Structure formats: structure tokens, C-alpha cells
Amino acid sequence: DAGVTQSPTHLIKTRGQHVTLRCSPISGHKSVSWYQQVLGQGPQFIFQYYEKEERGRGNFPDRFSARQFPNYSSELNVNALLLGDSALYLCASSLESESYNEQFFGPGTRLTVL
Amino acid sequence: AQSVTQLGSHVSVSEGALVLLRCNYSSSVPPYLFWYVQYPNQGLQLLLKYTTGATLVKGINGFEAEFKKSETSFHLTKPSAHMSDAAEYFCAVSVTGRRALTFGSGTRLQVQP
């Protein structure tokens, strides 16, 4: 069975541009969460979506947005990119939305903002 | 709010030696606790988790952790380190009703031959 997949693997953008990152959850998983991992730090929660509805939001500016599609895949959008947005963006899927459910992480998208 | 502190950003052990990675948490309500491992250029893989019940939790690859409420700790141990254990380890906490995991800053484990 395929795990969580993310695309693209790597991305280079310049300040002010916008970016869209994509995630496909494990088959049967209805919940998708997004995390930002800055080099040398632990992942920080950005969003959770369950059954296409936003169920949780971390402390990130409105430049960050996301959505979940009927097939449970998800997109993370970041507008007006800043140098500080350079990070590994991780997507995680789980069967249900409660946090005690195991979250399965994808390999991440490495975003570099120049 | 919940928080996690991982003592020691780098830990080095010899192959065959005991591995001990420390994690302390802060939570005003009963926590769910997790240990994840991250290999270079990969996502995170769950090693083990504590939700309720037995406080000694066994995970994959010979790792285990003990939930100690009085010490607010959830340290990760493995009796004998293997070269393949070299990776970054993250402790995380969550609680009922909260959708997110709160991660510590990570501990990089080096295993010397």
C-alpha cells in the first residue's frame, strides 16, 4: 500500500511569490494535517482538515491557507513568500481527526525561498 | 497549552550501549505522548505512543518509553544501540480535543562503532 505522498519534493521560489504544495493521504484516511519544520527544529502545526472541513489551525499568518478535496487529498498554499518560510513542509494523514490516532507522515516538500 | 522539552540536542552512544533520550512535557490535562523518528531526507515515523493504560509502552525496533506522571516525563530507551538507530528523534504531546501534535526540538542520536 502506498504511504502518504507529497509533491513536489523540492521547490525554489523568490520572495513575494506564492506556492502550492500537494498531499495525497493513505487510502481510507480522512484526516490530513500540515506541519512546517524549520531546519534544526521540531515540526509546527499549521492546519488539520477532516472530511473537507478545517478542524484545527496553528499560529500561522493568513498568508497560509489550505483545502481538502472530495478524494481527501489536500493542498497547502502560501502567498507573499518570505525568506522565513523556507522549511520542510510535512503532510500527515490519519483515519480520524482526534490526536490520539496515529499520524502517518509523508516525506515532505523542501521549500527554499530566495 | 502543552509543551515539550527534550534535554540534549545531540546524544552520542557506542554500538551496543544503552540509549536514553529524555522528554519532559507540560500539560494541565492528561496527555497523549508520542515518540517519532526521522531519518535524513525522510518524514517522521511513529516509534510508540501512550494514550491510556499501561505506563510502560513498547514500540518498534526495540524501543520503549515509560510515562511517569509525577515526573512529567516520557523518556525513550533502548537496551542496545545499533548503527541503524542513528537519526533524529522527536517527542510530541497532545490532549483530547486538540487536533495538533506539539513537538519538542528533537535529539540527534549518533551511534559510534
Side-chain angles (χ1 to χ4, degrees), chain A residues 38-114:
Chain A
V38 172
L39 196 63
Q41 297 181 21
Q44 283 202 303
F45 174 72
I46 310 175
F47 288 110
Q48 189 205 53
Y49 277 77
Y50 177 72
E51 290 277 18
K52 294 166 286 180
E53 291 187 2
E54 182 184 302
R55 289 295 186 94
R57 172 185 286 255
N59 188 24
F60 280 81
D62 291 344
R63 299 184 296 108
F64 289 77
S65 63
R67 56 179 175 168
Q68 187 177 33
F69 298 98
N71 66 353
Y72 302 112
S73 67
S74 176
E75 284 183 354
L76 175 70
N77 293 283
V78 187
N79 293 324
L81 286 167
L82 302 174
L83 295 179
D85 295 331
S86 295
L88 180 68
Y89 288 84
L90 295 165
C91 172
S93 77
S94 58
L95 280 169
E96 302 290 340
S97 64
E98 276 296 335
S99 57
Y100 53 73
N101 287 281
E102 179 177 355
Q103 296 194 35
F104 294 81
F105 284 81
T109 294
R110 172 82 54 194
L111 172 64
T112 302
V113 182
L114 302 176

